[in-house]
Amino acid sequence: MKLQSHGIETDLPPGWEGRIGLRTTPSADTRSIGDASEVPHPIVHLANFALPEQRGDFGSGAVDLMGADDVLVVLFEYGPECANTALFQRQGIPANLTPSMFSSSALQRTLPGQAGCQIFFTENGRAFCSYTVLGRQSSARRVLPQANDTLSRTRIAPR
C-alpha cells in the first residue's frame, strides 16, 4: 500500500500500516504541550501492528500496545533551520538499523522489555529524527529487517 502526504511517501509492506500527518498546533486557550506560534511539521508513524488513532508524536499510546514482535518507526520533522546542522549532519534516511543500536535508555518512556533507537538526519534539505521502538529487545534480529525494508521504501522530497 502506498502512503503519501507532505512530500513524504512510502510503500508499506504487507501487514504494516502507517499515517503521515501534521503535529497539532496548540491553541493559546488550551493546555496542550507546545507553543501556539509553532509551525507544525509532518510526523510519520509506521508499524507492523494496528496503530491506535490517538498517538503522541513519538508513539505514546502505540508503544503501550506493542507485542514482542512489533516495531514502531517514527519520522519526526524539525524546522528547516535544523537541516544540516551538527545534530542533523547525517545524510539520508537510516535504513540499516542493527540490534546494537537499540537500548532501553533511548526510549521516550521506559516500558519493560522494549528498546529504542534515535537517529537525527537530513534528507533533501529537511531535518528529521528517526525514532524506532522494538516491542522486545530480544526480537531485534527478527524484526529489524522489516523496519529497515520499510525505511528503505520511504522517500522524502525537498520542500
Side-chain angles (χ1 to χ4, degrees):
M1 173 173 75
K2 183 173 263 196
L3 187 63
Q4 182 176 3
S5 189
H6 305 290
I8 303 166
E9 69 177 58
T10 190
D11 297 310
L12 293 172
W16 279 68
E17 67 174 66
R19 310 277 194 290
I20 302 172
L22 291 177
R23 180 172 194 220
T24 304
T25 304
S27 62
D29 62 337
T30 67
R31 295 181 185 194
S32 299
I33 296 173
D35 179 348
S37 65
E38 174 183 328
V39 175
H41 297 288
I43 301 172
V44 179
H45 292 119
L46 307 171
N48 66 349
F49 62 97
L51 287 169
E53 286 304 316
Q54 299 297 314
R55 298 172 309 284
D57 294 344
F58 288 90
S60 60
V63 295
D64 305 288
L65 305 175
M66 293 177 74
D69 289 333
D70 292 341
V71 60
L72 170 72
V73 176
V74 177
L75 298 176
F76 183 96
E77 186 170 8
Y78 288 82
E81 70 282 358
C82 296
N84 299 307
T85 61
L87 181 61
F88 296 92
Q89 69 184 353
R90 178 190 170 114
Q91 296 296 309
I93 299 170
N96 294 311
L97 303 175
T98 64
S100 65
M101 299 167 82
F102 286 78
S103 167
S104 62
S105 65
L107 294 169
Q108 296 289 322
R109 190 180 94 214
T110 305
L111 292 172
Q114 291 187 353
C117 174
Q118 196 170 2
I119 300 171
F120 296 87
F121 68 96
T122 296
E123 173 76 13
N124 283 320
R126 296 172 69 176
F128 284 85
C129 172
S130 169
Y131 177 63
T132 304
V133 177
L134 302 174
R136 288 286 173 266
Q137 187 161 10
S138 59
S139 299
R141 292 203 187 288
R142 206 168 35 257
V143 299
L144 282 179
Q146 297 173 40
N148 286 329
D149 179 50
T150 302
L151 285 164
S152 71
R153 296 168 180 245
T154 303
R155 291 156 305 284
I156 298 171
R159 283 225 173 251

